[in-house]
Amino acid sequence: SDPTGNQYQLSSATGSLAPFQVRYEKTSGIAGCLNSASRTIFLFPSPVADFTDASRCFDTPFSLTSLNNTNAVSWSWNMDDGTAVINGNAINHVYPSTLLAAGFGSSRDFNVNLTVEAAPQGVSQRICKDSRTRAITVGSLPNISINIARVCEGDNTQFSATSNLPLQSFQWNFGDGSSTANGNTNDPITGVPNTSGTFGNPLHQFASVQDFNVGLTARTSLGCPGTTTRTVSILRRFDANQISPS
Protein backbone atom coordinates (compact mmCIF):
# COMPACT_ATOMS: atom_id res chain seq x y z
CA SER A 1 0.00 0.00 0.00
CA ASP A 2 1.07 3.60 -0.51
CA PRO A 3 1.31 6.29 2.20
CA THR A 4 -2.30 7.33 1.57
CA GLY A 5 -3.66 3.82 2.11
CA ASN A 6 -4.25 2.79 -1.51
CA GLN A 7 -3.46 -0.87 -2.09
CA TYR A 8 -1.95 -2.49 -5.19
CA GLN A 9 -1.51 -6.11 -6.22
CA LEU A 10 1.52 -7.43 -8.07
CA SER A 11 1.37 -10.83 -9.74
CA SER A 12 3.71 -13.02 -11.76
CA ALA A 13 2.40 -15.63 -14.17
CA THR A 14 5.66 -17.55 -14.00
CA GLY A 15 6.11 -17.53 -10.23
CA SER A 16 9.65 -16.31 -10.78
CA LEU A 17 11.79 -15.46 -7.77
CA ALA A 18 13.56 -12.74 -9.78
CA PRO A 19 13.36 -9.35 -8.03
CA PHE A 20 10.84 -6.76 -9.18
CA GLN A 21 11.77 -3.10 -8.86
CA VAL A 22 8.69 -1.19 -7.74
CA ARG A 23 8.82 2.60 -7.85
CA TYR A 24 6.17 4.86 -6.37
CA GLU A 25 5.96 8.52 -7.40
CA LYS A 26 3.70 11.29 -6.20
CA THR A 27 3.44 14.86 -7.35
CA SER A 28 1.97 17.31 -4.89
CA GLY A 29 1.51 21.03 -4.43
CA ILE A 30 1.03 23.81 -6.93
CA ALA A 31 4.71 23.74 -7.81
CA GLY A 32 4.44 20.09 -8.80
CA CYS A 33 7.01 18.81 -6.38
CA LEU A 34 7.90 15.20 -7.13
CA ASN A 35 8.64 12.65 -4.45
CA SER A 36 9.43 9.00 -5.09
CA ALA A 37 10.38 5.76 -3.35
CA SER A 38 11.69 2.47 -4.71
CA ARG A 39 11.64 -1.01 -3.27
CA THR A 40 12.76 -4.45 -4.40
CA ILE A 41 9.99 -7.07 -4.15
CA PHE A 42 10.25 -10.83 -4.60
CA LEU A 43 7.24 -12.94 -5.66
CA PHE A 44 7.18 -16.51 -4.38
CA PRO A 45 5.07 -19.44 -5.67
CA SER A 46 1.91 -19.80 -3.61
CA PRO A 47 -0.30 -22.88 -3.12
CA VAL A 48 -4.02 -22.80 -3.94
CA ALA A 49 -6.52 -24.16 -1.40
CA ASP A 50 -9.53 -26.06 -2.72
CA PHE A 51 -11.59 -29.16 -1.89
CA THR A 52 -14.92 -30.76 -2.76
CA ASP A 53 -18.03 -29.90 -0.75
CA ALA A 54 -20.37 -32.88 -1.25
CA SER A 55 -23.12 -33.54 1.30
CA ARG A 56 -22.37 -35.86 4.25
CA CYS A 57 -24.31 -37.75 6.93
CA PHE A 58 -24.18 -37.57 10.71
CA ASP A 59 -22.49 -40.45 12.58
CA THR A 60 -20.91 -41.61 9.30
CA PRO A 61 -17.16 -41.39 8.53
CA PHE A 62 -16.27 -39.41 5.40
CA SER A 63 -13.10 -38.11 3.76
CA LEU A 64 -11.98 -34.76 2.39
CA THR A 65 -9.06 -34.31 0.00
CA SER A 66 -7.16 -31.22 -1.06
CA LEU A 67 -7.65 -30.81 -4.82
CA ASN A 68 -4.52 -28.77 -5.60
CA ASN A 69 -1.27 -29.72 -3.86
CA THR A 70 1.17 -27.83 -6.09
CA ASN A 71 3.68 -25.88 -3.96
CA ALA A 72 1.95 -27.05 -0.76
CA VAL A 73 3.73 -28.77 2.13
CA SER A 74 1.22 -28.19 4.94
CA TRP A 75 -2.58 -28.57 5.15
CA SER A 76 -4.76 -27.52 8.09
CA TRP A 77 -8.50 -28.25 8.32
CA ASN A 78 -10.96 -26.50 10.63
CA MET A 79 -14.17 -28.54 10.65
CA ASP A 80 -16.35 -25.89 12.37
CA ASP A 81 -17.44 -28.30 15.11
CA GLY A 82 -15.17 -27.35 17.96
CA THR A 83 -12.67 -30.15 17.36
CA ALA A 84 -8.95 -29.61 17.01
CA VAL A 85 -7.46 -28.61 13.67
CA ILE A 86 -6.69 -31.65 11.52
CA ASN A 87 -3.49 -31.78 9.46
CA GLY A 88 -2.96 -33.61 6.15
CA ASN A 89 -3.87 -33.29 2.49
CA ALA A 90 -6.49 -36.06 2.90
CA ILE A 91 -8.44 -36.50 6.14
CA ASN A 92 -11.24 -38.57 7.67
CA HIS A 93 -13.87 -37.09 9.95
CA VAL A 94 -17.23 -37.84 11.64
CA TYR A 95 -19.88 -35.32 12.66
CA PRO A 96 -21.82 -36.80 15.60
CA SER A 97 -25.59 -36.38 15.53
CA THR A 98 -25.37 -34.63 18.91
CA LEU A 99 -24.32 -31.55 16.92
CA LEU A 100 -27.80 -31.38 15.38
CA ALA A 101 -29.31 -29.18 18.08
CA ALA A 102 -32.93 -28.11 18.24
CA GLY A 103 -33.84 -25.69 15.48
CA PHE A 104 -31.58 -27.18 12.79
CA GLY A 105 -34.22 -29.58 11.42
CA SER A 106 -32.75 -32.75 9.91
CA SER A 107 -29.54 -31.20 8.51
CA ARG A 108 -26.93 -28.60 9.36
CA ASP A 109 -24.26 -26.70 7.43
CA PHE A 110 -20.65 -26.61 8.65
CA ASN A 111 -18.22 -24.02 7.28
CA VAL A 112 -15.11 -26.12 6.70
CA ASN A 113 -11.88 -24.21 6.19
CA LEU A 114 -8.70 -25.50 4.53
CA THR A 115 -5.45 -23.55 4.84
CA VAL A 116 -2.44 -24.67 2.80
CA GLU A 117 1.12 -23.42 3.19
CA ALA A 118 4.24 -23.57 1.04
CA ALA A 119 7.72 -24.23 2.35
CA PRO A 120 9.70 -21.19 3.61
CA GLN A 121 11.24 -19.38 0.63
CA GLY A 122 13.90 -16.79 0.00
CA VAL A 123 16.34 -15.10 2.35
CA SER A 124 13.49 -13.92 4.56
CA GLN A 125 12.03 -17.49 4.70
CA ARG A 126 8.66 -16.14 3.64
CA ILE A 127 5.76 -18.66 4.00
CA CYS A 128 3.09 -18.23 1.33
CA LYS A 129 -0.36 -19.64 2.11
CA ASP A 130 -3.91 -19.75 0.83
CA SER A 131 -7.25 -20.51 2.44
CA ARG A 132 -10.66 -21.72 1.25
CA THR A 133 -13.93 -22.09 3.18
CA ARG A 134 -16.84 -24.16 1.90
CA ALA A 135 -20.20 -24.99 3.48
CA ILE A 136 -20.77 -28.74 3.85
CA THR A 137 -24.33 -29.91 4.48
CA VAL A 138 -24.58 -32.82 6.91
CA GLY A 139 -27.86 -34.77 7.07
CA SER A 140 -29.53 -37.13 9.51
CA LEU A 141 -29.81 -40.89 9.00
CA PRO A 142 -33.44 -41.95 8.54
CA ASN A 143 -35.21 -44.52 10.72
CA ILE A 144 -37.14 -46.75 8.34
CA SER A 145 -39.52 -49.72 8.51
CA ILE A 146 -41.10 -51.98 5.89
CA ASN A 147 -44.86 -52.22 5.36
CA ILE A 148 -46.41 -55.24 3.61
CA ALA A 149 -49.83 -56.26 2.28
CA ARG A 150 -51.17 -59.36 0.46
CA VAL A 151 -49.06 -62.28 1.66
CA CYS A 152 -50.92 -65.33 0.32
CA GLU A 153 -49.24 -67.63 -2.20
CA GLY A 154 -49.59 -66.34 -5.73
CA ASP A 155 -50.21 -62.78 -4.59
CA ASN A 156 -48.21 -59.81 -5.75
CA THR A 157 -47.07 -58.82 -2.28
CA GLN A 158 -47.13 -55.05 -1.83
CA PHE A 159 -44.24 -53.22 -0.17
CA SER A 160 -43.75 -49.67 1.06
CA ALA A 161 -41.63 -47.90 3.64
CA THR A 162 -42.28 -45.67 6.63
CA SER A 163 -39.64 -43.16 7.72
CA ASN A 164 -39.15 -40.23 10.07
CA LEU A 165 -37.59 -38.32 7.14
CA PRO A 166 -38.58 -37.90 3.48
CA LEU A 167 -37.01 -40.61 1.32
CA GLN A 168 -35.78 -40.22 -2.23
CA SER A 169 -34.47 -43.61 -3.29
CA PHE A 170 -34.95 -47.30 -2.45
CA GLN A 171 -33.02 -50.53 -2.91
CA TRP A 172 -34.83 -53.80 -2.14
CA ASN A 173 -33.65 -57.36 -1.52
CA PHE A 174 -36.61 -59.74 -1.45
CA GLY A 175 -34.70 -62.60 0.14
CA ASP A 176 -35.46 -65.10 -2.64
CA GLY A 177 -32.59 -64.24 -4.97
CA SER A 178 -34.33 -61.20 -6.45
CA SER A 179 -33.15 -57.68 -5.68
CA THR A 180 -33.28 -54.22 -7.22
CA ALA A 181 -30.73 -51.55 -7.88
CA ASN A 182 -31.06 -48.20 -6.13
CA GLY A 183 -33.87 -46.20 -7.74
CA ASN A 184 -35.88 -43.05 -7.12
CA THR A 185 -39.30 -43.25 -5.48
CA ASN A 186 -41.54 -43.05 -8.56
CA ASP A 187 -39.26 -44.75 -11.09
CA PRO A 188 -40.65 -48.04 -12.43
CA ILE A 189 -38.82 -51.27 -11.62
CA THR A 190 -37.75 -53.23 -14.69
CA GLY A 191 -35.64 -56.32 -15.29
CA VAL A 192 -36.25 -57.94 -11.86
CA PRO A 193 -38.02 -61.35 -11.97
CA ASN A 194 -41.60 -61.41 -10.61
CA THR A 195 -41.37 -57.73 -9.65
CA SER A 196 -43.27 -54.66 -10.82
CA GLY A 197 -44.43 -51.29 -9.51
CA THR A 198 -42.10 -48.49 -8.49
CA PHE A 199 -39.05 -48.40 -6.25
CA GLY A 200 -41.10 -46.66 -3.57
CA ASN A 201 -44.00 -49.14 -3.83
CA PRO A 202 -42.87 -52.41 -5.40
CA LEU A 203 -44.93 -55.55 -6.02
CA HIS A 204 -43.20 -58.93 -5.76
CA GLN A 205 -44.54 -62.45 -6.21
CA PHE A 206 -42.85 -65.15 -4.11
CA ALA A 207 -42.64 -68.63 -5.61
CA SER A 208 -43.11 -70.71 -2.48
CA VAL A 209 -44.86 -70.83 0.88
CA GLN A 210 -42.17 -69.99 3.43
CA ASP A 211 -40.50 -67.13 5.31
CA PHE A 212 -38.39 -64.59 3.43
CA ASN A 213 -36.07 -61.99 4.98
CA VAL A 214 -36.73 -58.83 2.98
CA GLY A 215 -34.13 -56.07 3.22
CA LEU A 216 -34.41 -52.40 2.35
CA THR A 217 -31.89 -49.57 2.10
CA ALA A 218 -33.56 -46.19 1.61
CA ARG A 219 -31.84 -42.82 1.23
CA THR A 220 -32.79 -39.20 1.85
CA SER A 221 -32.24 -36.40 -0.66
CA LEU A 222 -28.78 -35.90 0.88
CA GLY A 223 -27.94 -39.56 0.24
CA CYS A 224 -28.08 -40.55 3.92
CA PRO A 225 -29.08 -44.24 4.19
CA GLY A 226 -31.34 -46.15 6.52
CA THR A 227 -31.33 -49.96 6.49
CA THR A 228 -33.81 -52.47 7.84
CA THR A 229 -35.08 -56.04 7.34
CA ARG A 230 -38.44 -57.73 7.89
CA THR A 231 -39.48 -61.36 7.78
CA VAL A 232 -42.33 -61.88 5.34
CA SER A 233 -44.32 -65.11 5.80
CA ILE A 234 -46.06 -66.25 2.62
CA LEU A 235 -49.22 -68.18 3.59
CA ARG A 236 -50.73 -71.13 1.83
CA ARG A 237 -53.95 -70.34 0.00
CA PHE A 238 -56.75 -72.84 0.71
CA ASP A 239 -59.59 -73.65 -1.65
CA ALA A 240 -62.82 -73.69 0.31
CA ASN A 241 -64.28 -76.24 -2.13
CA GLN A 242 -61.65 -78.77 -1.03
CA ILE A 243 -62.69 -78.65 2.63
CA SER A 244 -64.79 -81.74 3.56
CA PRO A 245 -67.68 -81.29 6.02
CA SER A 246 -67.12 -82.98 9.39
Side-chain angles (χ1 to χ4, degrees):
S1 60
D2 63 23
T4 61
N6 296 315
Q7 294 186 348
Y8 307 90
Q9 182 173 340
L10 182 65
S11 63
S12 170
T14 63
S16 171
L17 297 181
F20 292 82
Q21 296 295 328
V22 178
R23 179 180 175 86
Y24 175 78
E25 295 182 349
K26 183 174 182 180
T27 303
S28 61
I30 298 176
C33 296
L34 177 66
N35 193 12
S36 65
S38 298
R39 188 167 184 177
T40 301
I41 296 178
F42 290 87
L43 291 185
F44 300 104
S46 177
V48 177
D50 199 10
F51 60 98
T52 55
D53 56 351
S55 300
R56 316 294 175 175
C57 306
F58 283 109
D59 300 321
T60 305
F62 67 93
S63 61
L64 290 175
T65 302
S66 171
L67 295 180
N68 188 342
N69 298 318
T70 303
N71 300 321
V73 298
S74 173
W75 302 261
S76 299
W77 302 80
N78 186 323
M79 304 305 292
D80 191 28
D81 60 356
T83 58
V85 171
I86 306 173
N87 297 310
N89 66 331
I91 65 166
N92 296 310
H93 194 65
V94 177
Y95 285 110
S97 55
T98 53
L99 295 175
L100 189 64
F104 282 108
S106 60
S107 64
R108 176 181 172 182
D109 287 347
F110 294 87
N111 293 315
V112 176
N113 174 267
L114 169 63
T115 299
V116 294
E117 294 185 352
Q121 304 171 84
V123 176
S124 63
Q125 291 293 278
R126 174 79 64 177
I127 297 177
C128 295
K129 61 183 179 180
D130 189 36
S131 182
R132 174 64 63 91
T133 299
R134 292 188 181 277
I136 291 182
T137 301
V138 181
S140 298
L141 299 173
N143 297 316
I144 64 173
S145 59
I146 297 174
N147 306 314
I148 58 173
R150 300 177 62 184
V151 292
C152 293
E153 62 177 321
D155 282 345
N156 286 318
T157 301
Q158 299 176 341
F159 292 91
S160 62
T162 300
S163 172
N164 64 324
L165 298 174
L167 300 175
Q168 179 171 292
S169 66
F170 301 80
Q171 186 172 3
W172 297 87
N173 186 326
F174 296 107
D176 61 353
S178 295
S179 61
T180 73
N182 184 55
N184 291 332
T185 303
N186 296 319
D187 289 347
I189 298 175
T190 60
V192 181
N194 304 315
T195 306
S196 58
T198 63
F199 284 91
N201 296 102
L203 303 172
H204 184 73
Q205 186 179 77
F206 294 94
S208 58
V209 176
Q210 65 180 82
D211 293 343
F212 297 91
N213 292 320
V214 176
L216 168 64
T217 297
R219 293 173 172 82
T220 66
S221 60
L222 292 177
C224 297
T227 302
T228 189
T229 60
R230 178 171 178 175
T231 299
V232 177
S233 299
I234 300 301
L235 307 177
R236 187 173 302 280
R237 187 186 300 275
F238 291 97
D239 185 349
N241 294 324
Q242 294 179 348
I243 300 177
S244 301
S246 56

